[in-house]
Amino acid sequence: QVQLADSGGGLVQAGGSLRLSCAASARDFSINAMGWYRQAPGKQRELVAVKASGGGTNYADSVKGRFTISRDNSNTVYLQMNSLRPEDTGVYYCYALVRNERSGHTYQYWGQGTQVTVSS
């Protein structure tokens, strides 16, 4: 069973900062990668940032230099968001790619989402 609990969203003015957190509970699974996606009203869900367990990271071009993804040893991933813009507004979803240690199969899991609103 895998559960993701994401939090940290809110309302902030343009230029401000927010920090999102996501704690993963993954019994009988190993975590291959964790990260964040977002979905703005009327748009498709898009990648924001993902961090592989081996250390590699991938960022959307629109957030490079402003957002930083990190992960601690307790299966918690963070997204530090600085210099926020109105176009960063959306629901941010925690994401995990996990591997079942018995079957070897991989699965994707999502958090419930946290709203980020950036006012101009």
Side-chain angles (χ1 to χ4, degrees), residues 28-104:
D28 295 329
F29 289 84
S30 59
I31 297 177
N32 289 358
M34 292 186 72
W36 297 90
Y37 281 69
R38 68 186 178 190
Q39 188 166 18
K43 295 187 177 181
Q44 291 187 332
R45 191 174 296 189
E46 63 175 1
L47 169 74
V48 177
V50 173
K51 187 173 182 66
S53 295
T57 58
N58 187 27
Y59 291 94
D61 288 342
S62 61
V63 307
K64 287 180 180 177
R66 301 188 297 121
F67 292 10
T68 302
I69 188 170
S70 61
R71 181 181 160 191
D72 64 19
N73 293 330
S74 64
N75 287 341
T76 300
V77 67
Y78 305 93
L79 186 67
Q80 179 66 43
M81 305 186 294
N82 298 328
S83 302
L84 282 160
R85 304 168 180 169
E87 54 263 39
D88 294 318
T89 294
V91 179
Y92 283 66
Y93 295 92
C94 179
Y95 162 86
L97 178 66
V98 304
R99 179 178 178 276
N100 185 291
E101 294 177 347
R102 297 179 183 178
S103 69

